[in-house]
Amino acid sequence: MAKGTETELEHLPDSELKSLLLPDLLPRHIAIIMDGNGRWAAQRGLPRMAGHTEGIKSVRDMINLCRELGIKALTIYAFSQENWKRPAAEINALMMLLESYLQMELEALIEKETRFRAIGRVSTLPESALAWVRKVERETAHFDRLNLTVALSYGGRSEIVDAVRRLAEDARNGTITPDQIDEDMLEGYLSTHGLPDPDLLIRTSGETRISNFLLWQLAYTEMYFTPTLWPDFRRHDALLALHDYQRRERRFGQTCDQLSDHPDEKVGKRSA
Ligand code: IPE
Ligand code: IPE
Ligand code: MG
């Protein structure tokens, strides 16, 4: 298990924090609820969009760090189904920001051999934003160094409903029989199919809820909640989150004695 309390670690430089991480115990997949952009802007007397724009720098930090550490999957919650209830002006500005982020970032994603994929009911996005989503997906489809999944117009319950609907169709047309349906099969119908479940979920801004994110996939994920607002959550904060994760004992329902009997089944080393 990793050493050092959070207060001891937070004064260390990033290079040292990075070198103290135990490579075998890194998460394979990190999921993030990027929250607090509006409050970050309000604290500075700025319009909410300033917070969303600044938050892009935190996204870049996370992508770079995952790549450097060899973490293969990063899934970020950028726009929820419930976010459609926000004022039209904010929604429009967010969609424009998404589009300009994709235009701006395409080259960097290619250079970093990062595969971009969107999950969620993306067909509800404005046409020009959707066209950029599809373009960046296409042009990065052959990379697998880092899998960047962006949840857009995403809701965990609708994802499960969509999966069940397709299962039901396949049962009706005879491709599968109802008694064949098990957890693995249902997982295969989810939009995150092919990715391991997240090992670590980070939510910024002090809220301690899931807000309809990855409801199925988070069944055994370690949760990290921090009061830091998303635009302030940078490399240093991410390194501290990883140290916190490495101090956890993941039991998956077993007792701690069983884990010490079978060291291979310890933290972060899942049999799958
Ligand atoms: C998260 O920041 C980004 C989105 C939900 C699009 P918020 O916009 O929710 O920021 P707060 O929670 O109002 O501070
Ligand atoms: C969750 O943040 C959605 C995203 C980060 C995209 P919200 O700010 O929308 O969540 P609630 O409404 O506080 O639960
Ligand atoms: Mg919020």
Side-chain angles (χ1 to χ4, degrees):
M1 208 167 289
K3 290 198 179 77
T5 64
E6 182 134 1
T7 34
E8 279 163 12
L9 291 170
E10 69 192 19
H11 301 293
L12 295 179
D14 291 358
S15 53
E16 203 167 329
L17 279 178
K18 191 176 153 194
S19 64
L20 285 171
L21 286 168
L22 306 172
D24 288 349
L25 296 187
L26 285 169
R28 292 187 302 171
H29 183 177
I30 301 179
I32 307 182
I33 303 176
M34 312 183 288
D35 199 10
N37 297 349
R39 278 163 282 171
W40 184 92
Q43 282 174 0
R44 289 159 179 77
L46 297 169
R48 292 176 58 83
M49 278 316 292
H52 296 312
T53 307
E54 187 69 15
I56 287 182
K57 296 182 188 161
S58 305
V59 173
R60 285 196 192 110
D61 267 20
M62 288 307 303
I63 293 175
N64 289 336
L65 187 61
C66 286
R67 238 189 113 257
E68 288 166 32
L69 292 171
I71 294 169
K72 298 277 279 189
L74 172 66
T75 299
I76 56 178
Y77 205 5
F79 194 82
S80 72
Q81 274 191 328
E82 291 74 21
N83 289 149
W84 290 112
K85 293 184 254 175
R86 292 193 178 194
E90 180 167 345
I91 295 175
N92 293 338
L94 278 168
M95 294 301 150
M96 279 163 64
L97 182 66
L98 167 67
E99 207 179 312
S100 66
Y101 168 77
L102 292 170
Q103 287 184 33
M104 232 170 12
E105 230 55 19
L106 177 58
E107 285 311 310
L109 292 173
I110 292 172
E111 194 189 309
K112 291 175 191 149
E113 298 169 280
T114 297
R115 179 173 191 176
F116 168 90
R117 257 178 302 197
I119 55 168
R121 293 200 172 155
V122 282
S123 59
T124 57
L125 297 180
E127 217 174 294
S128 56
L130 181 58
W132 269 98
V133 165
R134 295 301 183 220
K135 179 179 164 68
V136 178
E137 281 182 333
R138 248 187 345 263
E139 296 198 13
T140 62
H142 52 294
F143 295 127
D144 81 336
R145 184 133 174 203
L146 170 63
N147 284 283
L148 172 67
T149 305
V150 181
L152 291 165
S153 189
Y154 176 88
R157 286 188 173 177
S158 329
E159 182 186 29
I160 295 171
V161 167
D162 290 347
V164 169
R165 212 178 265 168
R166 285 189 290 119
L167 268 174
E169 273 165 21
D170 284 350
R172 189 177 50 190
N173 66 33
T175 323
I176 57 166
T177 59
D179 55 298
Q180 283 179 308
I181 300 173
D182 60 12
E183 293 182 11
D184 284 343
M185 186 180 280
L186 178 51
E187 194 274 331
Y189 284 76
L190 296 175
S191 59
T192 50
H193 174 58
L195 295 172
D197 285 342
D199 298 300
L200 172 63
L201 171 81
I202 297 171
R203 183 171 187 150
T204 56
S205 90
E207 311 301 346
T208 48
R209 52 178 171 265
I210 299 299
S211 301
N212 205 10
F213 192 39
L214 302 177
L215 296 179
W216 173 278
Q217 298 86 339
L218 294 176
Y220 253 108
T221 301
E222 295 295 328
M223 308 281 172
Y224 182 82
F225 296 108
T226 170
T228 304
L229 303 174
W230 178 248
D232 288 329
F233 190 88
R234 294 291 162 86
R235 188 181 177 85
H236 186 73
D237 309 270
L239 286 163
L240 290 176
L242 288 168
H243 275 282
D244 187 280
Y245 170 79
Q246 294 203 329
R247 283 197 295 271
R248 313 232 182 141
E249 183 177 69
R250 302 188 75 188
R251 297 199 198 110
F252 299 102
Q254 293 182 287
T255 68
C256 40
D257 293 344
Q258 285 176 295
L259 293 176
S260 46
D261 288 347
H262 304 285
D264 283 354
E265 287 169 25
K266 269 199 137 172
V267 198
K269 288 192 183 164
R270 298 189 307 172
S271 45

